[in-house]
Amino acid sequence: MPAPLGGGMPFLRLKGGTVMSTISPVKKLCLCALCVALCPILPMALHPLGLGGIISPMHIPPLLCGLLVGWPYGLACGLAGPVLSHLTSGMPNPPFLFFMMFELGAYGLFSGLLFRRVHTGRLYADLYTAMIPAMILGRIVGGAAQAAFFLSTDKPWSLSLFVSGYFIQTAPGAVIHLLLIPTLVAVLTRAGLAPRRYSP
């Protein structure tokens, strides 16, 4: 049975002496729902300011969700977030809606899976070790979905368009995500709103 840690939060003792606190399924669902809600809110707030294309705001919630509460919730957030955004704002439009579902779902899936497996002893090292591959894999998955669609409909597609659209144009946003998301995770952890990864 998990024992209380600090302020009464349950924890699991993993191999190598790592101590990781746990949160209830209800809190996990609430955090996931909040991240899904942010998928339309962040673009609607930032696109009028001309920052949407630079920051790629819809990428943030599934990555954050996967890191905070695990891959099933991150995957669900990545799939549901673009749909909710489309229903509330009309963006993204099909077929880009489906490409984003693949891409964002992969972000939430891989960030959660990798963060669960990696334990370096330092929170930020764990976060970057999980985030960077997840961001690369998500772009590959999204690009593969886009390629499959375009090639099946005889629409123009090339490897250079894929690299430009998924890596070069999104590079500023990726840097912002790598600066912002670990800080958010650390702040939420200190506030007791996210699982504590290591004992104080």
Side-chain angles (χ1 to χ4, degrees), residues 143 146-147 151 156-168:
Q146 187 184 75
L151 293 175
W157 184 89
S158 68
L159 185 60
S160 62
L161 287 175
F162 160 67
V163 172
S164 175
Y166 278 90
F167 288 92
I168 296 175

Side-chain angles (χ1 to χ4, degrees), residues 24 31 35 37 48 56 62 64 70 79 85 89 94-95 112 120-121 151 172 184 195:
S24 70
L31 287 170
C35 288
S56 301
L64 186 62
L79 294 175
S85 179
S89 69
T120 65
L151 293 175
L184 286 174

Side-chain angles (χ1 to χ4, degrees), residues 9-153:
M9 184 179 287
F11 73 91
L12 298 174
R13 189 172 296 279
L14 306 176
K15 291 182 179 180
T18 298
V19 174
M20 183 171 66
S21 65
T22 61
I23 59 177
S24 70
V26 173
K27 184 178 281 190
K28 288 182 178 181
L29 284 172
C30 290
L31 287 170
C32 180
L34 175 61
C35 288
V36 171
L38 287 173
C39 285
I41 291 173
L42 290 177
M44 284 191 289
L46 294 174
H47 276 291
L49 302 176
L51 299 175
I54 298 173
I55 298 178
S56 301
M58 206 183 299
H59 293 194
I60 297 171
L63 284 166
L64 186 62
C65 188
L67 295 169
L68 290 176
V69 291
W71 71 264
Y73 299 92
L75 175 60
C77 176
L79 294 175
V83 175
L84 180 61
S85 179
H86 174 72
L87 293 175
T88 54
S89 69
M91 296 296 292
N93 286 322
F96 295 98
L97 167 63
F98 306 111
F99 308 155
M100 290 200 71
M101 289 175 66
F102 277 96
E103 182 182 1
L104 272 59
Y107 288 156
L109 170 66
F110 290 118
S111 64
L113 282 175
L114 292 168
F115 195 52
R116 181 178 181 179
R117 294 290 183 182
V118 174
H119 295 91
T120 65
R122 296 181 179 274
L123 175 61
Y124 276 89
D126 290 356
L127 288 166
Y128 286 123
T129 303
M131 281 184 63
I132 293 172
M135 292 165 70
I136 294 172
L137 290 169
R139 284 162 166 78
I140 293 173
V141 170
Q146 187 184 75
F149 174 81
F150 283 160
L151 293 175
S152 67
T153 57

